[in-house]
Structures are given as structure tokens and as C-alpha cells.
């Protein structure tokens, strides 16, 4: 498509998305990050230039992809004159209008995935959610998204926020339960490795079955003997005992309402 | 090895384990279940006999595998005269001694996995935890376990209970978070399908990285703006709002202690 992109941000998402674009023939002309090491590492991997100064962000990119933490979003963008170029953010939680004081051409490009800098992901299966202020801009984002993914949809900011919340439950909170499981095992010198096949199968099951129908274990059976014995066993992990109790109760309530 | 097994119970675990045994050349001589349909379905799949009467459980099996819900364990076993044959239970939460009033030869054979009747699993990767009352019985269980899995260990009842608790966190509770995510999405008419690649990647990440190091999202960054906006969005889901708050707090506490 012969388009030039500039990346504002060089974190996990910026790294994976810019590399996916580059692999599909888009040109990344520049990477900006406040952190020189991040900017340089990403720019090097893309064989492009970087800057840590907002003044040096170049003016001739076709689209500016903003992949910043929400907490520094306005602080960084308010220093850049985009000259009404097309600016697109990649955040699940920010609305489209978060960009409107910076340019007239605005959009959202939200890939629903968990990203790390060093773990490569297959973008072709990642759902990408698009939003824009005009039919023309929306069409351009759809074309770009369809180049890297087979699962692209237009969605408004309100729905995208719910998507993001659901992802927090299904990814961030799930990962924390893995952390808790690892800590409990460590207290008995058992390596986390023993849980890996179970974790893969738990994720695999809901690819085919609705999660509601995949539920097993003492809470859904309301097996009070086991639940109480587990709570007793967790007395040295006060915080996790509370979570055990409240998640078990939520499971019970879900199947008995 | 020319051994004959009798299965007491015909649920998810009994189904998958007996089929794994049969595929490795062990003979299942009989299936007992209180539910005729379950007993018949499993026995048919194993080309063997079944009974729903404890009186008709045959006396010449080499090992009796007990795969019953903990809540009916004693009720069923107290009606059977095992004539001191080798009886092995498959429960994560029951101790070895739960069997000692029924026979002198007792053991535990605990495969750490989530089972459904219809979803086939690859036993070769499932960790199996063994315990027994004698070196000789333990050796026999190890030999059997090694025939179906590449990951076998001897573990005592106390450690096995912690394994089971960790599995409740990493599987049952995780699945409930998937159920919550599905329900939240449904409220905005978004299909659960959009989360499937994220769920696979979340499970895939911790196969390589420690879960503690794989954590992402607003809670670990303590991004209060996003957290508060999510809590506000969840006000119609009172129960899930509470869980969002307590899991976010647990994440924050974990990384700030």
C-alpha cells in the first residue's frame, strides 16, 4: 500500500505491531519514545530511525500510531503538532475522542492480545478493532488491519471499553491466579511446571465449549467438605484465602441464580 | 503387564483414565457406577461389562480404581468387600488414609488435569502423582503410571492437597473468569470468540515465563484511571465489580510487598 507510519511509543504493543506492519511491507519511518533504550532497540529491529525528542518527530508520515500508556498519553501528545495528519491510538480503554484536541483525522486500532517485547505473536489470528471519525479514514484503517489480521471489526468506544474489561478478566486476572498457584506450590517445594498441561487444557477447552459449560471442581459441585478443607489449608495465605472464598461464592451463585 | 482393573465410578476422570489404560493394553474387566447410563456408556466404549450393584462387583481384579466424587466416596466403598485387594483412589483432596478402613493395600493415583467425558486428552503429558502404603504397591503404581505418562512422581497426601488447591486456582477459578468475561461481552452483544486468541496466548506465555513476570494490564501498573473507569462500567455487575476490585488489589499488593 506504500504507506509510511510513525510510532509514538516503543513498548510491548508498539514493538509487536510495528514489526507485524513491517513484515507486511509497510514502512515505519520513525520511532519515538521517551526512553532512549526502548526507542533504539525497536528502531534497530525495524532498520529505521528513532528520536526521544517530540520536536524531532517527522511531519511526513501517513499515519501516526500512538501506543503509549494511558497515564502519559496527554502529556506526550500535547507537545506534538500533528498538522492535522491522521493519528491513531491503540488503547482499549481510551475513547476515540481522546485524540480530538490533537488533530482532525483520528482513529483507533486496537489489537486484542497480550504483548511482550520478546515473545513473537501470530497477528493473523489477533482480532483488531477499528474506529474512526470518517468513512474514509475508517476504510483506510480497515484495509491496513486486513493486511495483518484475518479478524477485523469496526466497534465503537463504549463496546471497546467492555472488550478491554473482559480482557482484564480473561488475561490479567487469569495470569494473577497462575501467580497465586505458583506461590502456593512453592510453599511445598513443588515446581510450577506440574500445572502447565492443566493450564493449556483449561484454555483449550473454552476454544470449543462455552466456559459456563466447561466448569469443573469443588465450587461448581458446591462440595463444602473440600472447600472448607482448602480454606483451612490456605490460612497462612490470608489474601488468597479471601480470594478463594469470594471466587468460590461467585461460581456457586452463578450456577444457582 | 497383563493386569486387570475394575473401575468404581464412570465420570469424567474414570472415562479418560480407563480409556488411557485400555489403549496401553491394560484390561478393564468391569465398570461400576450408581448411574446405569454412565456405567453402560463407559463399559461399551471399553468393550467390557458393567454393574450398578455393589454386590456384583467382581472379586478378581488386580487393582480397583476408585474415581468417585468425594461426597459419595465412603457411602459407596463401605458397601464393598474388597477382600484385601489393592484399592487406589484418584482424588486430589482425599488423603491416602481415606482408604484404610476398606483394605490393607491402598494407593493414590492422581492425574493433574481437567477431564470431560467427550474431550480426549493426551495422557503422555499429564503429571501423575502416586502414593501407597508399601514399597511394593508403590512400585506397581509407578510402573502403571509410567506406561501412560512421561511425568510421574511420588508425593504425600499433604503435598497433593496443595497441588489440588493450586489446580483449583489455575483451572476452576480461571474458567470462572472466562465465564465472567463471556457474560460481560454478552451484555454488549459481543461474541466470546474474540477472546479466544488472548486466552490461548495467556496460557502459552506461562509455559515459558514465570507467571509473576508475565503480568500485564492496568492493575500491575496501578493505573487508577483505568481501574476506576472499569469499576464504574461494572456497576451493573455488582458481584463482578467486587471481584475486579479484590483481584486488582491482590495484584497490586503482590508487586508492592
Amino acid at each position: 500500500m506504500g504507506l509510511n507510519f510513525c510510532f509514538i511509543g516503543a513498548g510491548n504493543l508498539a514493538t509487536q505491531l510495528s514489526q507485524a506492519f513491517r513484515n507486511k511491507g509497510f514502512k515505519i519511518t520513525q520511532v519515538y519514545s521517551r526512553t532512549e533504550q526502548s526507542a533504539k532497540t525497536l528502531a534497530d529491529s525495524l532498520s529505521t530511525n528513532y528520536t526521544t525528542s517530540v520536536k524531532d518527530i517527522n511531519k511526513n508520515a501517513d499515519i501516526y500510531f500512538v501506543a503509549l500508556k494511558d497515564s502519559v498519553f496527554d502529556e506526550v501528545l500535547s507537545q506534538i503538532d500533528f498538522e492535522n495528519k491522521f493519528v491513531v491510538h491503540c488503547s482499549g480503554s481510551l475513547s476515540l475522542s481522546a485524540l480530538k484536541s490533537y488533530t482532525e483525522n483520528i482513529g483507533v486500532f486496537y489489537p486484542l492480545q497480550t504483548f511482550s517485547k520478546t515473545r513473537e505473536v501470530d497477528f493473523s489470528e489477533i482480532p483488531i478493532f477499528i474506529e474512526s471519525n470518517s468513512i474514509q479514514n475508517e476504510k483506510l484503517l480497515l484495509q491496513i488491519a486486513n493486511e495483518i489480521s484475518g479478524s477485523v471489526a469496526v466497534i465503537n468506544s463504549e463496546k471497546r471499553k467492555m472488550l478491554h474489561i473482559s480482557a482484564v478478566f480473561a488475561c490479567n486476572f487469569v495470569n494473577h491466579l497462575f501467580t497465586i498457584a505458583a506461590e502456593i506450590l512453592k510453599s511445598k517445594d513443588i515446581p510450577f511446571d506440574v500445572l502447565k498441561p492443566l493450564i493449556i487444557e483449561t484454555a483449550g477447552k473454552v476454544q470449543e465449549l462455552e466456559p459456563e459449560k466447561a466448569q469443573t471442581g469443588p465450587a461448581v459441585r458446591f462440595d463444602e467438605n473440600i472447600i472448607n478443607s482448602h480454606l483451612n489449608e490456605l490460612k497462612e495465605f490470608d489474601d488468597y484465602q479471601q480470594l478463594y472464598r469470594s471466587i468460590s461464592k461467585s461460581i456457586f451463585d452463578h450456577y444457582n441464580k
Side-chain angles (χ1 to χ4, degrees), chain A:
Chain A
M1 295 172 76
L3 292 170
N4 296 325
F5 301 155
C6 176
F7 266 77
I8 316 285
N12 299 343
L13 167 60
T15 299
Q16 295 299 329
L17 181 59
S18 62
Q19 287 169 353
F21 281 144
R22 215 253 324 227
N23 293 343
K24 289 293 178 180
F26 295 100
K27 190 153 188 262
I28 316 298
T29 51
Q30 192 184 37
V31 172
Y32 160 85
S33 169
R34 296 172 304 161
T35 316
E36 175 146 17
Q37 188 56 55
S38 301
K40 182 174 179 346
T41 303
L42 179 54
D44 285 354
S45 81
L46 297 164
S47 312
T48 192
N49 306 301
Y50 72 89
T51 179
T52 58
S53 157
V54 287
K55 309 287 170 229
D56 296 331
I57 291 177
N58 78 44
K59 304 297 182 189
N60 47 24
D62 297 298
I63 306 182
Y64 293 81
F65 281 93
V66 181
L68 294 167
K69 279 187 288 194
D70 292 4
S71 53
V72 300
F73 189 86
D74 285 309
E75 183 192 327
V76 173
L77 294 196
S78 60
Q79 300 173 60
I80 306 172
D81 178 6
F82 287 110
E83 298 178 355
N84 268 338
K85 282 285 178 63
F86 193 11
V87 181
V88 171
H89 78 63
C90 304
S91 160
S93 49
L94 291 177
S95 70
L96 173 65
S97 61
L99 286 166
K100 76 181 176 194
S101 49
Y102 307 117
T103 176
E104 281 172 21
N105 294 294
I106 59 182
V108 181
F109 193 100
Y110 175 54
L112 183 58
Q113 189 50 284
T114 172
F115 297 102
S116 306
K117 282 188 185 178
T118 53
R119 190 175 153 87
E120 223 176 290
V121 287
D122 176 7
F123 253 94
S124 69
E125 297 200 348
I126 297 177
I128 297 178
F129 297 93
I130 296 299
E131 187 179 8
S132 194
N133 68 309
S134 74
I135 297 290
Q136 192 188 346
N137 285 336
E138 181 182 296
K139 198 173 150 195
L140 181 57
L141 289 183
L142 281 172
Q143 280 178 330
I144 295 166
N146 280 316
E147 289 283 319
I148 60 171
S149 168
S151 171
V152 179
V154 176
I155 203 169
N156 66 28
S157 293
E158 188 202 339
K159 284 191 172 188
R160 192 176 57 257
K161 190 182 261 190
M162 275 305 197
L163 263 183
H164 189 225
I165 295 174
S166 75
V168 168
F169 277 96
C171 170
N172 307 151
F173 289 177
V174 160
N175 189 76
H176 188 56
L177 298 184
F178 297 156
T179 301
I180 292 173
E183 195 176 329
I184 290 170
L185 289 175
K186 204 176 174 190
S187 74
K188 300 280 180 197
D189 294 318
I190 304 169
F192 179 70
D193 284 358
V194 299
L195 287 179
K196 290 179 177 176
L198 178 67
I199 287 170
I200 289 290
E201 174 65 8
T202 303
K205 256 184 162 177
V206 297
Q207 307 295 309
E208 294 175 13
L209 275 176
E210 285 176 56
E212 190 170 34
K213 289 176 181 153
Q215 189 64 52
T216 57
V220 68
R221 296 194 307 265
F222 200 55
D223 191 326
E224 280 190 281
N225 278 343
I226 297 189
I227 294 170
N228 288 330
S229 143
H230 285 178
L231 286 170
N232 184 50
E233 212 58 40
L234 288 168
K235 59 185 180 296
E236 49 183 312
F237 302 96
D238 185 42
D239 179 27
Y240 303 156
Q241 192 192 46
Q242 293 300 327
L243 280 183
Y244 187 104
R245 187 176 282 119
S246 48
I247 301 174
S248 289
K249 184 177 178 309
S250 177
I251 293 174
F252 178 77
D253 290 347
H254 185 86
Y255 291 91
N256 292 278
K257 69 186 171 192

